[in-house]
Amino acid sequence: MPATLETDTAQFAETFSRIRDEVGKFIVGQKDIVENVLTAICCGGHVLLEGVPGLGKTALVNTLAKALDLKFGRIQFTPDLLPSDVVGTQVLAERDGRRELIFQPGPVFCNILLADEINRATPKTQSALLETMQEKRVTVAGVSHPLQLPFFVLATQNPIENDGTYPLPEAQLDRFFFKLNVTLPDHDEFAEILNRTGGNSAPEIKPVAHGEDIIRMGQTLREIPVAKDVQDHLIKVVRNTHPENDKSPEKVKKYVRHGASPRAAQAMLSAARVRALLDGRFHVAREDVDAVAPPALCHRMILSFEGEAEGIKPVDLVRSAIRGAY
């Protein structure tokens, strides 16, 4: 391994741990959630957080922005929100005695954007995020405005309310690197939350990394080699989520209507590299691929009518796809 790359990989693990520890000063528990969100950020991906209100989803995003010293933006999605409320619009302003249209940037012009309750917005407004998430730019009146890098969207949705909501279409779900389910804390974590937030002062979160560090970490990841047999295993797992694949498990053929896209394979490859580096290895193993498969694949699989009717959990189908790849 070249000396510079060895240094970069060591710095990757050190910076990752430093950010994770700083976030842990405020966020109680949720170790896997924090690590997966950080993994997606290092890979340049976006995250969809699903959970009932009050579990700390907003606090997690805000804390991450402070620890990374990044500009934080928030959009509270509602049914009456317009695309211009998200990306910005042209306004009439007076300059040097003349009136002219100038671009007024929207809240997406930040580094970390919290899209709160994204499923409450109409499809037209939801789609306004598509270009920003994929292209990292905004186009208004035929003029493109690039966003400042790094740029990440961390969206939340409430799974228990259906009235006045617009489920995300498959095309937009596929834009998310990971979908993570935020669960209820246990008894001891509840107690620690009350201890940290019930006093007059909250833990102070200090910047321990910067946007340049995140960009450099992403560049380091792409240097990690992946053996052909490991890549073949990854491809088999993704292809095993498709019911039309002859080698897919019977569960998948019965309960899945559409499988995961190639974008899922790209996400798994990047996330597996992160896991390898955090484990002190300069190569990706099959175990890394298997570990990152559920958050990368579950939201990209569309269940059939039978799957919906029988309450099949996508994570069980992903595990079947993994077993079938060996």
Side-chain angles (χ1 to χ4, degrees), residues 250-305:
E250 289 302 317
K251 277 187 176 182
V252 171
K253 293 179 180 179
K254 182 178 181 181
Y255 297 122
V256 176
R257 183 156 49 98
H258 295 294
S261 66
R263 190 180 278 125
Q266 294 171 332
M268 289 170 61
L269 180 61
S270 297
R273 282 170 162 162
V274 173
R275 196 172 184 276
L277 282 184
L278 295 181
D279 199 35
R281 289 178 283 107
F282 191 65
H283 67 279
V284 177
R286 294 186 182 188
E287 291 75 16
D288 299 321
V289 173
D290 298 345
V292 301
L297 294 178
C298 285
H299 63 293
R300 292 181 164 101
M301 298 171 64
I302 304 175
L303 297 182
S304 64
F305 175 78

Side-chain angles (χ1 to χ4, degrees), residues 48-270:
L48 179 61
L49 299 169
E50 184 172 276
V52 298
L55 295 183
K57 300 184 294 296
T58 302
L60 170 60
V61 180
N62 200 1
T63 304
L64 271 171
K66 291 179 181 178
L68 294 173
D69 195 24
L70 295 176
K71 183 180 179 182
F72 172 70
R74 176 176 179 173
I75 303 175
Q76 185 67 46
F77 280 80
T78 55
D80 60 347
L81 199 70
L82 299 174
S84 58
D85 297 326
V86 175
V87 299
T89 187
Q90 288 187 307
V91 296
L92 190 63
E94 188 170 329
R95 283 185 177 179
D96 301 326
R98 294 184 305 138
R99 289 186 176 183
E100 59 181 15
L101 289 172
I102 63 171
F103 177 64
Q104 181 68 42
V108 296
F109 284 83
C110 61
N111 298 117
I112 293 185
L113 175 68
L114 172 61
D116 211 2
E117 294 193 318
I118 190 174
N119 57 326
R120 286 197 175 280
T122 61
K124 185 176 182 179
T125 303
Q126 290 175 4
S127 66
L129 271 181
L130 284 177
E131 184 188 19
T132 62
M133 292 171 64
Q134 184 66 26
E135 306 297 336
K136 309 294 176 70
R137 68 169 182 257
V138 165
T139 301
V140 175
V143 179
S144 291
H145 305 272
L147 300 176
Q148 182 182 354
L149 299 179
F151 173 72
F152 313 102
V153 173
L154 301 179
T156 71
Q157 64 179 9
N158 183 351
I160 61 174
E161 290 187 21
N162 295 318
D163 293 341
T165 63
Y166 303 84
L168 292 173
E170 289 75 13
Q172 188 158 339
L173 278 174
D174 195 39
R175 305 280 177 174
F176 288 99
F177 190 92
F178 279 166
K179 179 184 176 184
L180 306 174
N181 294 313
V182 184
T183 57
L184 193 70
D186 61 27
H187 183 92
D188 292 337
E189 290 171 346
F190 252 115
E192 183 61 25
I193 290 171
L194 295 178
N195 292 336
R196 292 190 188 185
T197 60
N200 290 323
S201 60
E204 183 181 358
I205 304 300
K206 299 179 180 179
V208 294
H210 304 280
E212 295 80 7
D213 298 320
I214 297 298
I215 294 174
R216 187 166 54 250
M217 290 169 78
Q219 294 169 344
T220 300
L221 281 178
R222 288 185 281 274
E223 299 290 337
I224 306 304
V226 180
K228 186 179 184 304
D229 64 311
V230 176
Q231 180 174 291
D232 289 343
H233 175 72
L234 187 155
I235 294 171
K236 288 178 182 177
V237 173
V238 176
R239 284 180 56 82
N240 279 353
T241 65
H242 289 260
E244 66 272 16
N245 180 26
D246 293 338
K247 297 182 180 179
S248 293
E250 289 302 317
K251 277 187 176 182
V252 171
K253 293 179 180 179
K254 182 178 181 181
Y255 297 122
V256 176
R257 183 156 49 98
H258 295 294
S261 66
R263 190 180 278 125
Q266 294 171 332
M268 289 170 61
L269 180 61
S270 297

Side-chain angles (χ1 to χ4, degrees), residues 251-252 298 301 311-321 323:
K251 277 187 176 182
V252 171
C298 285
M301 298 171 64
I312 299 298
K313 295 182 179 179
V315 67
D316 294 331
L317 298 173
V318 171
R319 292 182 182 127
S320 296
R323 288 193 296 268

